[in-house]
Amino acid sequence: MRKRTIMISLICILTAAVIIIIFAAVSGRKPYKDLEAVQIVSAAVRLTPPDETIQITETEKLVDLLKDVVIYHEDNSYTEYSGQGVIFTLVMTDGTQTSIMAYNPFLVIDGVGYKTKYEPCEALNHYANMLLEQTDAMWDRIPMVRINSKLYYDTGKESTVIGRCGNMDGEITSTVDGSEIPMEDNQSNFGSGFGYQYGAEDTIEIYMNEKWFVFASREETE
């Protein structure tokens, strides 16, 4: 009788263990549920394609997305798939470094692949591509200059004025990077040392490379 009781107890324990294992495999786990932004010293993401790396200066959004990531069983068959992978590299305050690749339907952590829940992994991919779009937009700013607290934008047109006055109304005296917006008067994002004259209909005409180029004010803000 006692042996039978022990046997039944062992069967129950084994059954419970199997149920726990199956439940864990089905429900998955969140490897970054306890991650906090203060634990990250630096972060970057590489998108392949197009093989571009972007530094992430504000990690709060990334941490929120990583907290939602769910992984299931280990699966390294991701090497047989093709598509875009986004690889996040995190340097932690304890000196360690980790690599996390979102490659739906896989998440690859430090070279080990796992099947992953689709939506959180897709959110990581979307986030990385949003950062890429923002970076591209930053570098796509058109030439502009600030004069009398107003921005004037390159129209791509040369002036047609004939017999203009030889005196300049002002000069561009400082410059910022081409990806930035000038914040000071007589400052541009394409260089300094260029003279300008006020034109018609709220325009500025700037003398560069022995030609006059028309810059116009407009209502839009960058």
Side-chain angles (χ1 to χ4, degrees):
M1 186 71 178
R2 184 177 179 184
K3 288 183 178 180
R4 183 180 178 185
T5 302
I6 294 173
M7 184 64 67
I8 292 173
S9 297
L10 289 173
I11 292 172
C12 290
I13 292 172
L14 289 173
T15 302
V18 170
I19 292 173
I20 291 172
I21 291 172
I22 293 173
F23 178 78
V26 172
S27 62
R29 62 185 179 90
K30 294 184 173 182
Y32 300 107
K33 62 183 179 65
D34 297 322
L35 181 65
E36 299 295 338
V38 293
Q39 297 174 270
I40 301 174
V41 175
S42 67
V45 60
R46 182 169 183 80
L47 296 89
T48 306
D51 295 327
E52 290 193 32
T53 300
I54 302 166
Q55 289 297 130
I56 303 173
T57 55
E58 297 180 2
T59 58
E60 288 79 6
K61 176 63 175 178
L62 173 59
V63 168
D64 288 341
L65 293 174
L66 288 174
K67 282 176 178 286
D68 290 336
V69 164
V70 177
I71 59 174
Y72 302 109
H73 59 278
E74 185 175 327
D75 187 337
N76 287 309
S77 64
Y78 68 89
T79 57
E80 301 170 7
Y81 285 67
S82 62
Q84 185 190 52
V86 295
I87 306 172
F88 296 90
T89 301
L90 309 182
V91 178
M92 315 304 288
T93 53
D94 62 4
T96 60
Q97 178 173 305
T98 186
S99 172
I100 306 161
M101 180 169 70
Y103 193 54
N104 245 340
F106 302 94
L107 195 78
V108 184
I109 302 174
D110 294 330
V112 180
Y114 300 89
K115 275 295 184 67
T116 188
K117 189 174 181 179
Y118 180 87
E119 290 81 3
C121 189
E122 186 64 21
L124 278 173
N125 188 283
H126 177 75
Y127 169 68
N129 279 279
M130 180 190 69
L131 291 177
L132 179 63
E133 290 176 4
Q134 290 175 349
T135 300
D136 289 344
M138 181 183 71
W139 288 108
D140 285 343
R141 293 200 191 280
I142 65 174
M144 64 186 79
V145 60
R146 185 179 294 274
I147 296 172
N148 295 330
S149 302
K150 184 183 292 186
L151 282 173
Y152 293 83
Y153 302 81
D154 184 15
T155 63
K157 299 178 181 178
E158 288 188 39
S159 174
T160 57
V161 173
I162 299 175
R164 70 174 63 244
C165 171
N167 296 325
M168 296 294 182
D169 293 321
E171 181 180 326
I172 300 173
T173 57
S174 65
T175 186
V176 294
D177 188 84
S179 64
E180 299 179 35
I181 297 175
M183 301 303 293
E184 301 176 4
D185 280 341
N186 295 317
Q187 185 178 74
S188 80
N189 65 351
F190 55 84
S192 60
F194 306 116
Y196 63 80
Q197 292 181 348
Y198 296 108
E201 298 180 354
D202 207 9
T203 61
I204 294 291
E205 299 191 358
I206 302 176
Y207 189 63
M208 297 183 290
N209 301 321
E210 300 183 352
K211 294 180 181 179
W212 289 91
F213 294 92
V214 180
F215 283 63
S217 175
R218 64 188 191 190
E219 294 299 324
E220 300 101 309
T221 56
E222 288 291 318

